[in-house]
Amino acid sequence: MNFKWMFLSSAFFVSQVNAVDVLALYKEDQDVRTHLRSLPKNEVKKYITEIMLPGDKVRLEQVENLLKTTKNLSSEEYFAAAMIMQHGSEPRHYKMAMELSKKSASLDPNNKSANWLSCAAEDRYLLKIGKSQVWGTQLNRKMNADGTHEIYYLENFNKNARPDEQRKLCGIPTLAEIESRLEAMAKLTDRNKQYSLWKTGT
């Protein structure tokens, strides 16, 4: 591993498990993903394998340890913990992400991100146990019909499971908006522009 990867690895891992700061862990989690989106395609797989996934595992274990000893967190802290659990690998991680994000929303009804995350975690949990996602938050990638570039698509999505009224409450686009975004994204070749359009609609 070269010095660049060694630096990134050390920068994104927290060493003090018993003094964990869940907000700092959340920042690391997001910084890793922001950096991932800036990499050229030929470096993405290596970065995910050597940096992101090992870091996700460390952060998740630290959050699990924190939750065993700490019962009173703020809405912001519960949301941060939920996002780290969302980047786990097992159904129980996603189920915990649902519970934590709902706890976050209950403490701060204005925390719209927590409402969104509870739905995204539910979708990820359902897919992991072999069922259809119901909100339409989990994307996958495939080559387009012409074979020119990869596009995003919704994996195993039950469009009729949730009405648009519920989607709006969770900060999720309506079905029509989801379809419009996916159609527009398919015309873009840059994966970061595709992702940005999915997240913002613009």
Side-chain angles (χ1 to χ4, degrees), residues 7-200:
F7 169 78
L8 287 169
S9 178
S10 62
F12 291 137
F13 290 171
V14 175
S15 60
Q16 297 299 321
V17 177
N18 60 347
V20 81
D21 180 341
V22 70
L23 297 181
L25 290 179
Y26 171 72
K27 184 178 185 304
E28 288 180 5
D29 174 275
Q30 296 300 292
D31 286 348
V32 167
R33 284 158 172 80
T34 298
H35 185 73
L36 173 65
R37 289 191 286 273
S38 72
L39 294 175
K41 186 175 181 179
N42 65 334
E43 293 185 22
V44 167
K45 184 176 180 179
K46 179 180 177 69
Y47 183 81
I48 290 174
T49 302
E50 297 186 5
I51 303 298
M52 190 177 80
L53 293 181
D56 285 348
K57 183 178 180 180
V58 170
R59 286 184 288 272
L60 188 145
E61 290 173 350
Q62 291 178 326
V63 167
E64 286 184 319
N65 289 334
L66 173 69
L67 294 172
K68 291 176 183 177
T69 59
T70 305
K71 301 301 181 183
N72 297 314
L73 298 176
S74 67
S75 174
E76 185 181 14
E77 288 169 329
Y78 275 120
F79 173 78
M83 184 62 78
I84 291 168
M85 298 304 294
Q86 175 76 342
H87 293 149
S89 58
E90 301 175 17
R92 65 183 181 88
H93 298 150
Y94 311 136
K95 194 170 184 178
M96 179 61 74
M98 277 191 283
E99 295 172 0
L100 293 172
S101 54
K102 288 178 180 178
K103 180 72 172 178
S104 173
S106 70
L107 292 173
D108 181 6
N110 293 320
N111 191 339
K112 296 181 180 180
S113 294
N115 288 324
W116 173 87
L117 182 54
S118 68
C119 297
E122 182 180 4
D123 273 351
R124 192 164 292 187
Y125 171 76
L126 290 170
L127 288 174
K128 191 67 174 180
I129 62 174
K131 296 184 178 181
S132 301
Q133 60 173 311
V134 295
W135 297 99
T137 62
Q138 302 302 295
L139 296 172
N140 210 330
R141 289 177 66 77
K142 64 180 179 180
M143 191 62 67
N144 70 349
D146 297 328
T148 57
H149 62 277
E150 289 187 333
I151 60 173
Y152 283 104
Y153 70 98
L154 282 170
E155 179 182 1
N156 192 9
F157 176 36
N158 181 354
K159 296 182 179 180
N160 300 316
R162 298 289 186 271
D164 282 342
E165 290 75 13
Q166 284 186 321
R167 295 178 190 283
K168 292 177 182 177
L169 291 175
C170 291
I172 296 174
T174 63
L175 282 176
E177 179 61 24
I178 285 175
E179 292 173 357
S180 176
R181 289 186 189 187
L182 288 173
E183 183 178 348
M185 288 160 62
K187 298 176 183 178
L188 302 173
T189 58
D190 184 272
R191 62 187 172 92
N192 288 328
K193 291 181 179 179
Q194 292 174 346
Y195 182 80
S196 177
L197 178 56
W198 174 253
K199 297 296 287 186
T200 66

